[in-house]
Amino acid sequence: GNSVTQMEGPVTLSEEAFLTINCTYTATGYPSLFWYVQYPGEGLQLLLKATKADDKGSNKGFEATYRKETTSFHLEKGSVQVSDSAVYFCALSGGSNYKLTFGKGTLLTVNP
Amino acid sequence: DAEITQSPRHKITETGRQVTLACHQTWNHNNMFWYRQDLGHGLRLIHYSYGVHDTNKGEVSDGYSVSRSNTEDLPLTLESAASSQTSVYFCASAREGRGVGAFFGQGTRLTVV
């Protein structure tokens, strides 16, 4: 079956530091890959996505590249802000199957 | 604006009671999902529906049921609440199409005492 493994953290960074959150997956076929963000007390929001190999998803300064050869979709941001403090989830859906399989989430705290 | 709303946002119930959590979306999406979020487990799929009168079990469906009588609503029922069902519950909906992702509600925090 499908599975997602992401670094669980917590991750604590200073403002303007570089962020990487690792995500690897196991899936049959060609899944679509997602990063979701959850701010305190809120639901999940789609941050970015990629649907085929070598696609790069990007939004709000965050980027992730669909690497089929390493089955990875690592999240990066060059300079984090305090407002980026949240829980980040890597997820996948397979083909025409709309169900999402999530990683366990990574708590990011950015200090001023 | 279209949206997805869950109610109630918070609920405390007693062990053994039947509880229903509501989910309503105004996007006219055929695909709807219920997840539970627990520390150390991320989000796990409880039930899902791909259209009216269609329901399917997810990975943690024991003790839960759903029904889909219209496109907008997918209520989640806990038949006999147990302490192990204390969790935060999220409803989501998605339109058709590869890689479209899903929109999530704000969540319902359920405590079973």
Side-chain angles (χ1 to χ4, degrees):
Chain A
N2 296 337
S3 67
V4 175
T5 302
Q6 63 177 104
M7 55 188 285
E8 294 185 25
V11 175
T12 302
L13 296 173
S14 298
E15 205 164 24
E16 300 184 2
F18 184 85
L19 169 71
T20 299
I21 301 177
N22 291 335
C23 172
T24 57
Y25 68 88
T26 302
T28 55
Y30 299 91
S32 297
L33 303 174
F34 307 88
W35 277 99
Y36 280 83
V37 59
Q38 182 181 32
Y39 299 103
E42 298 186 9
L44 279 72
Q45 302 175 26
L46 179 62
L47 180 60
L48 54 84
K49 65 181 182 181
T51 59
K52 61 183 188 295
D54 300 324
D55 265 2
K56 178 185 284 188
S58 62
N59 186 24
K60 299 181 181 180
F62 291 90
E63 295 182 339
T65 301
Y66 190 145
R67 300 291 188 197
K68 190 164 179 63
E69 64 276 14
T70 55
T71 61
S72 65
F73 192 56
H74 305 320
L75 182 68
E76 297 182 336
K77 186 175 186 182
S79 177
V80 294
Q81 306 299 312
V82 172
S83 57
D84 293 327
S85 298
V87 180
Y88 292 81
F89 291 94
C90 185
L92 68 81
S93 67
S96 60
N97 180 335
Y98 305 110
K99 297 182 293 181
L100 288 165
T101 299
F102 286 89
K104 294 183 178 182
T106 302
L107 173 62
L108 171 66
T109 302
V110 181
N111 295 317
Chain B
D1 283 345
E3 59 181 5
I4 181 166
T5 55
Q6 294 183 232
S7 61
R9 293 293 310 278
H10 302 272
K11 185 168 181 67
I12 300 174
T13 192
E14 295 179 341
T15 301
R17 290 194 179 270
Q18 184 181 78
V19 177
T20 296
L21 309 183
C23 175
H24 179 80
Q25 53 98 2
T26 59
W27 281 294
N28 205 36
H29 290 162
N30 282 327
N31 310 307
M32 295 186 72
F33 311 87
W34 274 103
Y35 293 88
R36 61 177 287 174
Q37 182 179 22
D38 303 288
L39 200 61
H41 290 279
L43 277 82
R44 293 179 291 176
L45 183 63
I46 305 171
H47 281 286
Y48 60 101
S49 168
Y50 286 156
V52 177
H53 303 310
D54 176 73
T55 61
N56 305 279
K57 294 181 178 181
E59 63 178 300
V60 290
S61 61
D62 286 350
Y64 303 94
S65 63
V66 293
S67 61
R68 188 89 181 270
S69 59
N70 58 52
T71 300
E72 296 79 17
D73 300 289
L74 187 70
L76 176 71
T77 297
L78 286 68
E79 304 293 346
S80 177
S83 58
S84 60
Q85 294 176 310
T86 293
S87 186
V88 180
Y89 292 85
F90 287 99
C91 180
S93 72
R95 62 175 175 83
E96 276 72 27
R98 174 177 164 75
V100 297
F103 292 94
F104 282 78
Q106 295 287 79
T108 295
R109 181 175 295 276
L110 177 68
T111 303
V112 182
V113 298

